[in-house]
């Protein structure tokens, strides 16, 4: 099964274009634009974005204690940076402070250029890893966006702006859902189910992630039905992938957890974290850039007999209340200052929906037969090396190596709940 990830966060994300080649049907199309030069903000961003990721994770985990948690920190950070681009006064300050940026230390212009460089780098075509972002803005038809805003988001962020009649809720919902379904080639259907009357602005961001494991699993080794413990009283049956391979891993005594790194074939890695039974909350509370850096130093390569569930995970949030609790209040209020988007009064953010979907299987993204030749004598090696079985709630991170960004962060409570 391929690894696909589509994310939708209904506030617009950053996307700067670069000289690159994109596939369009049977032809190749060249897009041109300018990649900003690296600046001081760019080098701070991995740490600031990671702190924001863990802060948001804590909120979402507290709000959904018995559910899967899954989202894209780097995309949400980029989305909020984009939102700040069209905002002013305290609206802008609150957005950036929630993200972890201090305008005294990082000027707005420098921050925007840093995010443009980050997203350009992430979107640059790679042979065996695809990470692409696209955006759309749906604004009430009574509002007239500034021509400069339309030009900027089109040329710098590849964002389309649509005038929408939100008085017809059913038609507006269908318009947005149809756009998302078309842009994702049918991967996401019916994104919005309960759009309310009197929406003012909805912005859409989608991310497509595809990658192949550096060491694909053998389909023939997958156990079709294996126990996964959801809690003390609930067990579900899941396909369990099995592999004997060398991985970077360690068993942490301080936090009572096992950490294992699974590399993709190019520029990305997945970090699986398995707390000892009863220690999940302890590990969650300790998650930080400092902890991540410590784990990175502790990882050592060695043979492991690995069992990982083959599963799909998805999560949908309206982040509005969460972001407001974190301090981003004005963007959702009547006093919102989006003077960089329109001269009309009354523009505010109505929704901040976010959806992430991930499928993890044997090959990563490529559905192909993996040759059986060269497989080591499992009985001999397994008797000498540790067995790591992800058969209860675990944490999952997907990181991009070049930018040191946390692409996705989550907790798998029940791999049967999509």
């Amino acid at each position: 099964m391929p690894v696909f990830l589509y994310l939708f966060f209904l506030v617009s994300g950053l996307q700067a274009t670069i000289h690159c080649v994109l596939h369009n049907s049977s032809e190749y199309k060249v897009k041109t634009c300018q990649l900003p030069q690296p600046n001081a903000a760019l080098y701070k961003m991995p740490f600031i974005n990671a702190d924001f990721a863990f802060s948001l994770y804590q909120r979402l985990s507290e709000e959904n204690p018995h559910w899967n948690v899954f989202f894209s920190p780097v995309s949400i950070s980029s989305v909020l940076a984009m939102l700040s681009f069209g905002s002013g006064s305290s609206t802008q300050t609150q957005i950036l402070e929630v993200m972890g940026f201090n305008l005294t230390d990082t000027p707005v212009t420098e921050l925007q250029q840093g995010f443009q460089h980050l997203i350009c780098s992430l979107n640059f075509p790679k042979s065996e890893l695809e990470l692409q972002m696209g955006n759309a803005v749906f604004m009430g038809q009574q509002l007239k966006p500034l021509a400069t805003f339309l030009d900027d988001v089109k040329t710098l962020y590849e964002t389309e702006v649509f005038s929408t009649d939100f008085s017809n809720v059913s038609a507006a919902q269908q318009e947005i859902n149809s756009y998302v379904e078309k842009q994702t080639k049918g991967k996401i259907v019916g994104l919005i189910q309960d759009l309310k009357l009197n929406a003012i602005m909805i912005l859409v961001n989608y991310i497509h992630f595809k990658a192949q494991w550096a060491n694909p699993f053998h389909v023939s080794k997958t156990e079709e039905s294996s126990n996964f413990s959801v809690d003390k009283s609930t067990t579900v049956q899941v396909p369990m992938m099995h592999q004997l391979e060398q991985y970077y891993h360690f068993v942490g005594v301080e936090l009572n957890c096992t950490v294992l790194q699974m590399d993709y074939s190019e520029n990305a890695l997945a970090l699986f974290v398995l707390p000892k039974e009863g220690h999940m909350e302890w590990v969650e509370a300790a998650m930080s850039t400092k902890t991540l850096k410590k784990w990175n130093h502790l990882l050592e390569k060695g043979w492991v007999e690995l069992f990982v569930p083959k599963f799909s995970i998805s999560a949908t949030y309206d982040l509005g209340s969460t972001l407001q609790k974190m301090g981003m209040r004005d963007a959702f209020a009547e006093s919102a200052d989006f003077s960089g988007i329109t001269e009309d009064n009354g523009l505010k953010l109505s929704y901040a929906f976010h959806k992430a979907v991930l499928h993890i299987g044997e090959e990563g993204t490529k559905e192909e037969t993996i040759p059986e030749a060269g497989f080591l004598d499992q009985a001999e090696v397994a008797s000498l090396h540790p067995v790591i079985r992800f058969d209860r709630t675990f944490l999952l991170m997907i990181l991009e190596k070049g930018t040191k960004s946390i692409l996705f962060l989550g907790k798998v409570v029940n791999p049967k709940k999509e």
Side-chain angles (χ1 to χ4, degrees):
M1 180 180 292
V3 175
F4 287 112
L5 190 145
Y6 284 88
L7 169 149
F8 296 86
F9 179 50
L10 299 191
V11 277
S12 177
L14 283 174
Q15 180 163 331
T17 49
I18 50 181
H19 292 283
C20 61
V21 178
L22 294 184
H23 187 260
N24 183 19
S25 299
S26 60
E27 299 177 352
Y28 284 89
K29 183 183 293 185
V30 178
K31 299 193 304 183
T32 60
C33 63
Q34 187 174 357
L35 179 70
Q37 291 297 317
N39 58 31
L42 183 65
Y43 299 109
K44 300 175 188 175
M45 284 166 58
F47 307 101
I48 295 175
N49 288 346
D51 285 334
F52 169 72
F54 294 127
S55 178
L56 182 56
Y57 174 87
Q58 297 294 346
R59 294 273 182 174
L60 295 177
S61 184
E62 289 171 5
E63 293 170 4
N64 306 274
H66 306 298
W67 295 88
N68 295 331
V69 176
F70 197 70
F71 64 99
S72 171
V74 71
S75 181
I76 295 176
S77 294
S78 300
V79 158
L80 295 180
M82 172 61 180
L83 195 62
S84 75
F85 178 77
S87 64
S89 62
S90 60
T91 302
Q92 183 183 71
T93 302
Q94 289 176 9
I95 294 171
L96 295 177
E97 286 181 348
V98 165
M99 296 169 63
F101 289 95
N102 184 326
L103 291 180
T104 303
D105 299 332
T106 310
V108 174
T109 302
E110 187 176 290
L111 184 146
Q112 296 292 345
Q113 290 176 346
F115 269 98
Q116 289 178 27
H117 194 288
L118 170 66
I119 302 305
C120 276
S121 301
L122 291 175
N123 283 341
F124 192 82
K126 304 171 183 67
S127 60
E128 295 186 11
L129 183 148
E130 294 182 20
L131 180 66
Q132 297 139 1
M133 300 187 185
N135 315 291
V137 180
F138 296 85
M139 292 176 59
Q141 61 182 7
Q142 75 277 16
L143 300 168
K144 184 179 180 180
L146 296 169
T148 53
F149 173 74
L150 293 176
D151 290 341
D152 286 343
V153 297
K154 182 67 174 179
T155 58
L156 295 177
Y157 311 121
E158 299 190 350
T159 297
E160 294 184 84
V161 180
F162 298 94
S163 178
T164 305
D165 181 8
F166 286 119
S167 66
N168 188 334
V169 176
S170 177
Q173 181 169 299
Q174 179 61 34
E175 178 185 353
I176 297 171
N177 286 344
S178 294
Y179 174 83
V180 169
E181 182 177 351
K182 180 180 178 181
Q183 294 300 308
T184 62
K185 298 179 180 179
K187 295 297 182 181
I188 294 295
V189 178
L191 172 66
I192 301 176
Q193 296 295 327
D194 56 351
L195 187 65
K196 299 297 190 297
L197 193 65
N198 299 322
I200 305 296
M201 177 171 65
I202 299 176
L203 297 88
V204 176
N205 165 252
Y206 52 90
I207 295 177
H208 175 210
F209 172 75
K210 293 174 62 177
Q212 182 183 10
W213 297 124
N215 296 305
F217 290 82
H218 294 258
V219 177
S220 62
K221 304 298 180 184
T222 298
E223 301 174 359
E224 290 303 316
S225 185
S226 184
N227 289 335
F228 186 97
S229 178
V230 176
D231 54 41
K232 292 181 179 179
S233 60
T234 307
T235 300
V236 296
Q237 297 297 306
V238 299
M240 189 70 72
M241 300 184 298
H242 178 208
Q243 187 177 68
L244 189 62
E245 188 54 79
Q246 292 191 71
Y247 288 107
Y248 286 99
H249 69 285
F250 75 91
V251 178
V253 177
E254 183 179 348
L255 292 180
N256 285 313
C257 65
T258 298
V259 179
L260 181 135
Q261 174 179 318
M262 285 178 59
D263 290 319
Y264 289 101
S265 59
E266 184 177 355
N267 281 12
L269 62 88
L271 208 61
F272 291 78
V273 182
L274 182 68
K276 187 178 178 181
E277 290 190 55
H279 286 74
M280 173 58 77
E281 291 183 2
W282 180 267
V283 175
E284 288 179 305
M287 286 170 58
S288 65
T289 52
K290 182 179 179 181
T291 298
L292 202 58
K293 187 180 294 186
K294 183 183 295 184
W295 287 350
N296 186 55
H297 289 305
L298 290 174
L299 288 167
E300 293 185 358
K301 195 168 188 177
W303 285 100
V304 171
E305 186 173 9
L306 177 64
F307 294 86
V308 176
K310 177 178 178 178
F311 68 100
S312 297
I313 181 174
S314 67
T316 305
Y317 310 99
D318 178 0
L319 292 175
S321 61
T322 303
L323 292 172
Q324 290 179 70
K325 289 175 185 176
M326 295 175 73
M328 199 179 115
R329 297 175 297 276
D330 287 2
F332 297 88
E334 299 296 333
S335 58
D337 180 354
F338 288 116
S339 53
I341 299 177
T342 181
E343 293 180 347
D344 298 327
N345 296 322
L347 181 61
K348 65 177 181 178
L349 188 60
S350 300
Y351 288 97
F353 288 121
H354 174 89
K355 181 169 185 176
V357 181
L358 178 71
H359 306 291
I360 285 188
E362 289 92 351
E363 293 86 18
T365 62
K366 296 184 179 180
E367 295 186 353
E368 60 185 11
T369 303
I370 304 301
E372 297 289 339
F375 209 73
L376 295 177
D377 186 333
Q378 292 197 17
E380 180 181 346
V381 180
S383 65
L384 301 174
H385 299 286
V387 176
I388 299 178
R389 184 182 284 270
F390 288 87
D391 58 359
R392 60 179 183 274
T393 301
F394 62 89
L395 302 172
L396 172 65
M397 279 177 267
I398 297 179
L399 299 95
E400 201 276 335
K401 298 176 183 177
T403 61
K404 298 180 174 65
S405 297
I406 301 177
L407 298 180
F408 309 107
L409 174 60
K411 174 170 62 175
V412 181
V413 176
N414 184 348
K416 297 291 284 186
K417 292 286 186 182
E418 293 191 23

